[in-house]
Amino acid sequence: MKEKIDRLTIGKLATASNVSVETIRFYERKELIKQPEKQGGFRYYPTDLIKKIWFIKRSQELGFTLKEVKELLELTVKKKSRCNDILIRTETKIDEINEKIKDLKRMKKSLEGLAKCCDSREMPLSDCPVLDCFIDSK
Amino acid sequence: MKEKIDRLTIGKLATASNVSVETIRFYERKELIKQPEKQGGFRYYPTDLIKKIWFIKRSQELGFTLKEVKELLELTVKKKSRCNDILIRTETKIDEINEKIKDLKRMKKSLEGLAKCCDSREMPLSDCPVLDCFIDSK
DNA sequence: ATACACCCCGTACCATGGTACAGGGTCAAC
DNA sequence: GTTGACCCTGTACCATGGTACGGGGTGTAT
């Protein structure tokens, strides 16, 4: 059992990164992670990848899609990258989030309006104006 | 050209409802719309369906998934349905929306925090603390 | 030297909401 | 009676983020 540093099997990497083996293979297919060469029958992963997977997961929590995460990862590798390159993406994402919040608030308002259409909860639905409100709202 | 009322071909229905023919077929597959029997070589749709499709589209705008819209449509058909049945779903949806808004606001806050990590936009990314912030933020 | 956990690869499948064909058939106008 | 626009069915495909599985190969501990 010589478990060299920087020689994680995919299973060890998965455990260490708290994702499934399948997820790692999925990231490989999506080219977020480079698949290492086979050494004998198995492929071995550097421990660096634990941090990388953490970055991927954190980026997802921040609202980035995997496609966008891929771009972020590419930025972190390129020598020419400026801080600005990340900031631009961050600001764009904030704008997108603001848009989504606006959408959700609009929906919420309409739904709240709907609820007011109903006079009595136990009324048969066919007699209640709520369905008309549904259609007419906005 | 005898275009009887209540005898829309799928194409006419699509045009009248402002969706594509494929979308109507998709709704049929998902059982939101009942596929009419064939009369000769074609199927003919009642004009009622224009309103129904409008309802589907409006429900989607309000944040309901097609699965949920299907349930709503089933409610509107059942004799026993009460107004309450719709209100419950509306209130549940409002709660879900509130949760999503909360999530988005959390993301936004983290992203805004990130932006503050950077001292100078033109700094090479490798020298900038922004990536560490990315990882460490919350 | 053999068991057994683990790895490899390919492929199919899940939900969500559609879109896009191909290869036929039909209706209706002219 | 033929053209042309429309319809029919089935199936595959798109993005998104994975999950699942079968059938085989391998590394290592005992």
Side-chain angles (χ1 to χ4, degrees):
Chain A
M1 177 166 171
K2 45 179 172 181
E3 202 170 282
K4 282 183 202 161
I5 251 112
D6 268 25
R7 272 186 121 245
L8 300 170
T9 60
I10 196 167
K12 304 272 185 211
L13 176 59
T15 304
S17 310
N18 202 32
V19 297
S20 75
V21 169
E22 297 307 322
T23 298
I24 292 173
R25 293 201 198 286
F26 176 70
Y27 290 167
E28 287 175 346
R29 285 201 295 282
K30 290 292 170 184
E31 299 181 276
L32 284 120
I33 288 176
K34 198 173 103 252
Q35 192 177 45
E37 296 300 310
K38 269 202 204 177
Q39 296 189 355
F42 291 4
R43 296 176 191 279
Y44 296 94
Y45 297 77
T47 50
D48 287 10
L49 284 183
I50 299 170
K51 273 201 312 211
K52 192 161 179 175
I53 291 168
W54 193 10
F55 180 88
I56 294 170
K57 285 293 166 194
R58 179 60 188 152
S59 301
Q60 284 186 300
E61 280 174 24
L62 291 172
F64 293 97
T65 64
L66 286 185
K67 202 173 166 186
E68 289 165 342
V69 177
K70 195 186 166 198
E71 288 174 20
L72 291 175
L73 287 169
E74 282 160 4
L75 274 181
T76 68
V77 171
K78 269 189 213 133
K79 294 277 170 263
K80 279 190 270 184
S81 299
R82 307 267 145 194
C83 212
N84 198 33
D85 300 326
I86 295 281
L87 288 184
I88 290 285
R89 280 164 178 79
T90 301
E91 285 156 6
T92 303
K93 189 51 69 180
I94 291 172
D95 291 344
E96 285 173 28
I97 289 175
N98 281 333
E99 274 309 300
K100 278 187 196 161
I101 291 175
K102 232 187 268 175
D103 282 352
L104 288 168
K105 284 189 175 167
R106 238 188 302 103
M107 288 181 199
K108 187 181 162 182
K109 213 168 179 179
S110 296
L111 287 167
E112 284 167 350
L114 260 189
K116 286 187 196 116
C117 282
C118 172
D119 303 317
S120 157
R121 285 182 174 260
E122 297 312 319
M123 196 183 283
L125 185 53
S126 45
D127 299 348
C128 185
V130 72
L131 282 180
D132 299 321
C133 285
F134 220 97
I135 294 292
D136 297 335
S137 56
K138 194 88 209 206
Chain B
M1 178 163 172
K2 46 181 173 179
E3 203 172 281
K4 281 183 203 163
I5 251 113
D6 268 28
R7 271 186 120 245
L8 300 170
T9 60
I10 195 166
K12 304 273 183 207
L13 176 59
T15 304
S17 310
N18 203 31
V19 297
S20 75
V21 168
E22 296 307 323
T23 298
I24 292 173
R25 294 201 199 284
F26 177 70
Y27 290 166
E28 287 175 344
R29 287 200 295 282
K30 290 292 171 183
E31 298 182 277
L32 284 122
I33 287 175
K34 197 172 105 254
Q35 192 177 44
E37 295 301 312
K38 269 202 202 175
Q39 297 189 354
F42 290 5
R43 297 176 190 279
Y44 296 94
Y45 297 77
T47 49
D48 287 11
L49 284 183
I50 299 170
K51 273 200 313 212
K52 192 163 179 175
I53 291 168
W54 192 8
F55 180 88
I56 294 169
K57 284 294 166 191
R58 178 62 188 149
S59 302
Q60 283 185 300
E61 280 175 23
L62 290 171
F64 293 98
T65 64
L66 286 186
K67 202 173 166 186
E68 289 164 342
V69 177
K70 194 186 167 198
E71 288 173 21
L72 291 176
L73 286 170
E74 282 160 2
L75 275 181
T76 68
V77 171
K78 269 189 214 133
K79 294 276 170 263
K80 280 190 269 187
S81 299
R82 308 266 146 193
C83 211
N84 198 34
D85 300 325
I86 295 281
L87 288 184
I88 291 285
R89 280 165 178 78
T90 300
E91 284 156 7
T92 303
K93 189 52 66 180
I94 290 172
D95 291 345
E96 285 173 29
I97 289 175
N98 281 333
E99 274 310 300
K100 278 188 195 159
I101 290 175
K102 233 187 268 174
D103 282 353
L104 288 169
K105 283 188 174 169
R106 237 189 302 103
M107 289 180 197
K108 187 182 162 181
K109 214 168 177 176
S110 295
L111 287 167
E112 284 167 350
L114 261 188
K116 286 187 196 115
C117 283
C118 173
D119 303 317
S120 158
R121 287 183 172 257
E122 297 312 320
M123 195 182 282
L125 185 53
S126 46
D127 299 348
C128 184
V130 72
L131 281 180
D132 300 321
C133 284
F134 220 98
I135 293 292
D136 298 334
S137 57
K138 196 87 206 201

